[in-house]
């Protein structure tokens, strides 16, 4: 069980890191908003909840540190060092296992919440529709 938890944390950290690699306009911000879309209700709610918890832990480690685990990446805390200590703020959305809701929620995260990246989905059919929406809102400034 402990191994599964570590794997989930590592996976969550990887997702956050990948999401941050697409943060084109994030340099001047003190807070980096990342949209997270998972099934938080419905048949797969328990899986979505586990991934939500893992991402919250990963963001907490980046933002506040885990000084007792010095070999863990970003365990020093203090935010994202290459973005002047900007803190990660996760904004969650529930797609309920429905691809159309996933697309709608992705658009809301991008247009209303102003996230710089979207991670998650869990279901491939939701990932497909959400990715199509995200492609429509491709950032203008692609230089990092």
């Amino acid at each position: 069980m402990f191994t599964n938890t570590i794997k989930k944390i590592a996976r969550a950290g990887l997702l956050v890191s990948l999401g941050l690699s697409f943060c084109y306009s994030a340099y001047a911000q003190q807070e980096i908003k990342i949209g997270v879309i998972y099934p938080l209700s419905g048949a797969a709610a328990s899986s979505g909840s586990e991934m939500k918890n893992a991402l919250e832990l990963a963001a907490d480690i980046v933002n506040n540190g885990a000084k007792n685990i010095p070999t863990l990446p970003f365990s020093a805390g203090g935010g994202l060092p290459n973005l002047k200590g900007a803190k990660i703020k996760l904004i969650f959305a529930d797609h309920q296992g429905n691809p159309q809701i996933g697309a709608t929620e992705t658009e809301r995260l991008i247009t209303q919440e102003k996230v710089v990246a979207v991670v998650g989905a869990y279901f491939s059919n939701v990932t497909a529709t959400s990715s199509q929406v995200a492609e429509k809102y491709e950032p203008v400034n692609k230089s990092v």
Side-chain angles (χ1 to χ4, degrees):
M1 175 144 173
F2 183 72
T3 304
N4 285 338
T5 303
I6 295 297
K7 285 180 183 177
K8 286 179 184 175
I9 292 169
R11 226 179 275 137
L14 177 62
L15 286 173
V16 170
S17 297
L18 287 172
L20 291 176
S21 68
F22 296 103
C23 296
Y24 298 109
S25 63
Y27 287 104
Q29 299 175 2
Q30 293 293 66
E31 184 176 77
I32 306 301
K33 290 183 180 180
I34 299 174
V36 182
I37 184 164
Y38 278 120
L40 301 173
S41 62
S46 63
S47 295
S49 178
E50 287 176 9
M51 292 307 299
K52 179 180 186 250
N53 291 338
L55 283 172
E56 287 175 330
L57 177 60
D60 184 55
I61 289 170
V62 170
N63 292 340
N64 303 310
K67 308 238 188 291
N68 295 334
I69 314 171
T71 58
L72 186 65
F74 299 103
S75 66
L80 297 163
N82 291 338
L83 295 177
K84 299 179 183 176
K87 304 288 185 177
I88 295 173
K89 180 177 182 181
L90 301 174
I91 305 196
F92 291 92
D94 178 14
H95 64 61
Q96 304 169 22
N98 182 320
Q100 188 55 48
I101 293 173
T104 302
E105 285 298 295
T106 299
E107 185 165 33
R108 180 186 66 80
L109 288 169
I110 295 168
T111 61
Q112 294 175 19
E113 299 292 343
K114 306 295 184 202
V115 300
V116 296
V118 179
V119 298
Y122 190 70
F123 292 125
S124 60
N125 58 352
V126 177
T127 301
T129 58
S130 296
S131 296
Q132 290 170 352
V133 169
E135 284 290 320
K136 283 191 338 187
Y137 294 97
E138 184 177 348
V140 175
N141 181 4
K142 294 183 183 184
S143 63
V144 176

